[in-house]
Amino acid sequence: MGTSEKAGAVPANGAAPIQRFYSDRSWIEGAAEEQLTFVAGMAGVSSVAAFPDLHPGKYGPVGSAILADRIYPQLIGNDIGCGMSLYALDLPARKLRLDKAAAKLRQLEGVWTGNAGARLAGEDLPTDLHNQALGTIGGGNHFCELQVIDEVTDGALLEAAALRKGDLVLLVHSGSRSLGTAVFGSVLDRFDGLDPNSPDGKAYRAAHDQAVRWAALNRELIAERAAKALRCDLRIVADAPHNLVEDHAGGILHRKGAARVDQALVPLAGSRDALSYLLAPCREQAEALASLAHGAGRKYDRRSMTGRAGGTRSDRDSLGRTSFGGLVVCEDRQLLIEEAPAAYKDPAQVLKDLQSAGLAAPVAALKPLVTYKKAVSDTLESARQDKRRRLWDRRAKR
Ligand SMILES: Nc1nc2c(ncn2[C@@H]2O[C@H](COP(=O)(O)O)[C@@H](O)[C@H]2O)c(=O)[nH]1
Ligand SMILES: [Mn+2]
C-alpha cells in the first residue's frame, strides 16, 4: 500500500505516478480509479496520492492530493477552503439533555447577526466580503455535530490536547459558501489550468486565498454560535482544511478532499451514525503529499440514495435518530435521505488503511450525539416566508 500494490502506480505512458494508500478492503469505485488515471495524465501533473475515502467527484477524484506545475481550479471546485474544525466544549456531559441540546442548536438556523465587519477585518479580509453568508453552515453534507469522546487509543496525546474520555466536542464541517462559488465562477472554463505566475493565475490565487481564510473564519463563527446556544465556552483543538490549493515543494498542491497534516491532531469524519476519529498524523511520507483522508467518503452518490434510504415509514421515521441514541436536526427530508449514513463508507476501514499505510494513528473515537444539518428545507423556508408575508399583508390592510 502507498506504492505500487495496485497496477498503475507508475504508468508507462508518461503520466504521473499514483500512490494509493488504501487496501482491497476499501470500497473504491471504478469511476474513481478512472478519474485518478485521468488526473495523473493531465498536463503538468507530477504526483498523485489517493486515500481510502476516494470516490468520484464532479471534476476529479475526491479523497486525493494532486501536485502540478499549474493551478487547476476545477479540481477544487466551488467549496474553496472547506474543512473540518474540532472544538472542545466546557460543558459537562452528565448535564447534557440531547433533546434540549438539539433544540438549542436550531439557533444555527438563519443568518448570523454578529459584527461581520470586525471579524472579517481580524482575518485581514475586506469588511463586506460575502458577510451575509458568514456564520452559516450551508447545505449538502456540511454539518455541526456535538460529539462525545468515546474510546481512547492514545491517552497521552489526548491529554496533551487537554481532552479526556467523556468530554464533549463539536465537529464543524463547512466552507466558503457563496464566496467560493463566486470565485470559482470566474474561472469555470479554465480546464487547461492557470499559470500561477500569470495575471489570471495570480488573481485566482488571491481570491482563492481569501476564500480559504473566510472558510476558516466561518467554521469558527459556527462553532461560536453553537457554543453560545449551548451556553458554554469553547476551545479550538484542530482545524484541517481539505479543499484548496497551496504551495508545496515541486509545485502547486491540490487538496481535493485531502486533509492538511500540519498539526498534532487531525479529525476524520465518519457519518451522523458512525464514529468519527481524532488522528495523529505519522512522520511525513513524501508520497502522501502531506495529506490524509478527510472523511469516510461516499459509497453512493446523492441521486442513487433515493430508494436506498427512507423507503419505508419506519425507515423515514428513523432518519432523525441514530443507532447511538443521537438526534439529527434537519427538516429537509430529501437532504436526510441523500446524506443517510448508508451513503458513506465505513470510517473504521478508512482508519485501518491509514494506519497500515503508516500515515496516521488513532487517538480517540468520537461518538455523534446531535448532528445539525441545514435545519429547514428551502421549500419549507419559502413556505414560511410566504405565510409571514401574507400575515403582514393582512395586518397592513386592517
Ligand atoms: N460526523 C459526521 N460526518 C459526516 C456527516 N455527513 C458527512 N460526513 C463525513 O464528512 C465527510 C465530508 O466530505 P466532503 O467531501 O464533502 O468534504 C464525508 O466523507 C463523510 O465521511 C455527518 O452528518 N456527521
Ligand atoms: Mn468538505
Side-chain angles (χ1 to χ4, degrees):
M1 205 177 342
T3 53
S4 50
E5 202 176 271
K6 294 206 174 192
V10 185
N13 59 3
I18 303 170
Q19 303 295 334
R20 293 171 171 85
F21 294 95
Y22 44 80
S23 71
D24 290 342
R25 255 169 269 141
S26 275
W27 173 291
I28 306 288
E29 275 184 64
E33 287 288 351
E34 281 165 23
Q35 287 190 341
L36 267 188
T37 309
F38 179 82
V39 162
M42 276 164 39
V45 171
S46 54
S47 183
V48 178
F51 302 96
D53 52 344
L54 190 81
H55 59 280
K58 192 166 177 190
Y59 295 108
V62 183
S64 67
I66 299 137
L67 190 63
D69 66 2
R70 68 199 69 180
I71 301 171
Y72 282 108
Q74 273 76 15
L75 288 180
I76 306 306
N78 275 325
D79 206 4
I80 300 167
C82 188
M84 304 273 174
S85 294
L86 190 79
Y87 285 83
L89 300 177
D90 73 342
L91 191 66
R94 69 193 142 73
K95 284 199 177 165
L96 190 75
R97 284 268 314 270
L98 290 193
D99 52 346
K100 289 199 170 159
K104 287 175 183 165
L105 285 178
R106 279 191 164 278
Q107 289 173 35
L108 290 172
E109 210 172 276
V111 294
W112 173 62
T113 52
N115 189 342
R119 297 302 293 265
L120 288 162
E123 300 304 319
D124 204 15
L125 290 166
T127 53
D128 58 351
L129 192 66
H130 283 251
N131 46 16
Q132 76 292 344
L134 205 56
T136 61
I137 289 177
N141 56 3
H142 292 149
F143 60 86
C144 172
E145 193 167 87
L146 179 63
Q147 305 175 326
V148 62
I149 299 184
D150 196 35
E151 216 172 282
V152 177
T153 329
D154 189 330
L157 267 183
L158 197 65
E159 212 179 301
L163 287 170
R164 62 174 73 153
K165 188 176 162 110
D167 281 358
L168 295 178
V169 293
L170 206 58
L171 182 62
V172 179
H173 174 223
S174 192
S176 53
R177 313 277 285 109
S178 48
L179 173 60
T181 310
V183 174
F184 182 48
S186 64
V187 287
L188 260 182
D189 55 347
R190 305 297 297 267
F191 287 96
D192 292 342
L194 304 167
D195 173 350
N197 297 313
S198 68
D200 284 356
K202 284 183 178 164
Y204 171 77
R205 189 64 196 271
H208 160 285
D209 290 357
Q210 280 197 338
V212 170
R213 294 207 299 284
W214 194 103
L217 173 62
N218 196 38
R219 288 189 288 280
E220 192 178 318
L221 292 174
I222 292 165
E224 285 177 16
R225 285 183 82 180
K228 190 173 169 197
L230 295 167
R231 295 193 197 97
C232 64
D233 284 331
L234 76 171
R235 172 176 57 82
I236 186 136
V237 175
D239 180 51
H242 52 240
N243 209 46
L244 68 159
V245 292
E246 59 193 28
D247 297 326
H248 189 83
I252 302 287
L253 182 64
H254 300 70
R255 300 186 173 282
K256 188 162 183 59
R260 199 190 266 166
V261 292
D262 57 353
Q263 46 198 327
L265 299 173
V266 176
L268 175 86
S271 80
R272 66 181 190 237
D273 199 9
L275 295 174
S276 294
Y277 295 94
L278 199 49
L279 308 181
C282 297
R283 196 173 45 85
E284 205 176 289
Q285 293 186 30
E287 313 82 48
L289 298 172
S291 304
L292 273 185
H294 72 310
R298 284 198 90 93
K299 191 169 180 180
Y300 300 114
D301 65 22
R302 292 212 161 83
R303 215 156 7 112
S304 64
M305 282 311 291
T306 304
R308 281 187 198 278
T312 64
R313 191 182 178 141
S314 73
D315 199 10
R316 277 194 296 281
D317 290 346
S318 70
L319 287 171
R321 295 188 304 271
T322 73
S323 57
F324 296 108
L327 299 174
V328 184
V329 183
C330 178
E331 281 166 19
D332 187 332
R333 179 65 58 85
Q334 189 54 30
L335 183 63
L336 275 173
I337 291 171
E338 289 171 3
E339 288 300 316
Y344 290 99
K345 307 193 213 186
D346 176 9
Q349 184 59 48
V350 172
L351 170 61
K352 269 189 206 154
D353 279 3
L354 293 176
Q355 247 185 306
S356 358
L359 292 185
V363 174
L366 312 170
K367 189 167 77 175
L369 297 176
V370 181
T371 305
Y372 174 90
K373 295 260 184 195
K374 184 171 67 94
V376 182
S377 78
D378 293 338
T379 15
L380 203 64
E381 180 55 17
S382 64
R384 279 184 186 165
Q385 279 174 8
D386 284 351
K387 194 172 165 194
R388 269 184 238 128
R389 220 170 290 132
R390 280 197 305 276
L391 277 173
W392 181 258
D393 286 350
R394 233 179 284 152
R395 264 191 223 139
K397 276 181 199 150
R398 267 187 219 144

